[in-house]
Amino acid sequence: MQIGVLPPGEPGVFRSLLLPEAADALARGEALTALGLTENGLALGAAAGYLENSQFQLISLYVAPAYRQRGGGRMLVDALLELLPGHAAGMTVRFTVTEEEHRTIAPFLAHLGFAREDDHGQSIYLTTLSRVMQLPFYQSQPKGRGTPLCELPESDLTALAHAAQAAQAPLPPGGLHGEWVEKQVSVAYLENGVPQGYVIGDTSWPGGLTLSAVWSSGVYPTLLVSLLRIALARAVERYAPETVLAIQAVNARSAELLRSLLPDIEPISFTYRYPLSSVDKTLSE
């Protein structure tokens, strides 16, 4: 097997071996480092990434299933690592387990010498509605006030968006008017027209639900718990018990809250890093 550099421009036969965002970036001529793996002229795999804040972000790594277990993946990673001394302090890989084969990524990276990084709570957690229904947290009668987004006037939605932006609070992809937002499940609380918090659900997860944005003004300490319970109760009413529920934590505090309320949730997003011994001072500043 041989390794070659993919020049900027159309990735050609390697397009199907790169994630779409990597292939498109290469086609646009962006500052992307991409390698191709071949054998006897046949494209077997590819890897791609870019330099950001002295870290090389590996965003795409793939070897065709029929050619795995032959060292091709290691060859691609090793070839990239050989390019980095003097340019990067290390290589970082972030991935989310959305398919069964993704579970092999962590042991593969560990075998190459990568170590799992602390994500400071910024993880995606996974459970199902049926598991949520069995938890004491869910079985408690929903309390407090919360209105589904589908029942809020446009003026309240605008106020919610402005309050969230002012507080630099998380918003779902596309904002509160995004195409994925599930307005029947998403709930918010406004007091005298003043936004106090929300829990936003969306359908961006294939075949499931995502709780993608949670925010509270901090005026009412228990508001988030109340809104979360109401949102989950509405989800249970509308979706089958086996529906997958993905929850995005944005910091250590929100991750701790999720783990305390839903102790059986599993992290499915991970960050691994391979440190290099040195980097040019100008690049690390």
Side-chain angles (χ1 to χ4, degrees):
M1 292 185 284
Q2 297 81 39
I3 299 289
V5 176
L6 304 184
E10 175 56 45
V13 295
F14 291 96
R15 174 170 281 277
S16 63
L17 301 173
L18 291 165
L19 288 177
E21 55 265 36
D24 292 342
L26 187 65
R28 291 191 297 266
E30 296 182 8
L32 191 78
T33 299
L35 303 179
L37 177 71
T38 61
E39 185 175 65
N40 298 324
L42 181 66
L44 309 182
Y50 59 88
L51 188 64
E52 180 183 65
N53 297 327
S54 80
Q55 285 290 314
F56 184 83
Q57 307 292 336
L58 180 62
I59 62 171
S60 184
L61 175 64
Y62 183 80
V63 175
Y67 298 92
R68 292 175 186 171
Q69 305 299 319
R70 295 178 53 193
R74 180 168 197 138
M75 287 179 64
L76 287 166
V77 173
D78 284 347
L80 287 172
L81 288 172
E82 288 177 3
L83 300 174
L84 299 185
H87 300 283
M91 181 184 292
T92 299
V93 184
R94 297 183 178 91
F95 63 95
T96 302
V97 178
T98 57
E99 299 177 13
E100 188 60 31
E101 71 169 13
H102 294 165
R103 297 187 183 278
T104 65
I105 298 176
F108 168 73
L109 293 174
H111 181 69
L112 295 187
F114 285 73
R116 184 176 173 181
E117 290 269 285
D118 183 0
D119 57 15
H120 304 290
Q122 298 180 36
S123 295
I124 300 175
Y125 295 86
L126 202 66
T127 185
T128 63
L129 289 181
S130 63
R131 291 162 71 182
V132 168
M133 292 165 62
Q134 298 169 12
L135 297 173
F137 164 76
Y138 171 77
Q139 293 170 359
S140 300
Q141 186 67 26
K143 299 176 182 179
R145 289 167 288 182
T147 304
L149 263 57
C150 62
E151 298 178 11
L152 288 177
E154 187 63 30
S155 58
D156 282 352
L157 288 174
T158 300
L160 275 174
H162 287 165
Q165 290 170 353
Q168 297 184 324
L171 284 165
L176 297 180
H177 292 88
E179 62 175 317
W180 301 110
V181 173
E182 224 291 17
K183 293 187 176 181
Q184 297 283 346
V185 170
S186 303
V187 294
Y189 176 60
L190 295 88
E191 186 172 69
N192 298 323
V194 178
Q196 299 297 337
Y198 56 61
V199 171
I200 307 299
D202 67 53
T203 55
S204 59
W205 189 271
L209 282 171
T210 299
L211 293 186
S212 57
V214 177
W215 168 71
S216 169
S217 66
V219 173
Y220 301 104
T222 62
L223 179 61
L224 280 184
V225 175
S226 176
L227 290 176
L228 184 59
R229 187 182 289 120
I230 294 170
L232 290 173
R234 294 184 66 84
V236 168
E237 290 175 357
R238 291 179 52 80
Y239 290 88
E242 63 272 15
T243 299
V244 171
L245 180 66
I247 307 176
Q248 172 72 63
V250 296
N251 53 40
R253 181 181 177 186
S254 61
E256 183 180 356
L257 174 64
L258 287 174
R259 289 193 292 264
S260 66
L261 297 176
L262 307 170
D264 70 333
I265 56 176
E266 305 171 12
I268 59 165
S269 62
F270 306 91
T271 299
Y272 277 75
R273 183 172 179 267
Y274 187 99
L276 296 175
S277 58
S278 63
V279 62
D280 286 348
K281 187 175 185 296
T282 55
L283 290 172
S284 59
E285 293 179 340

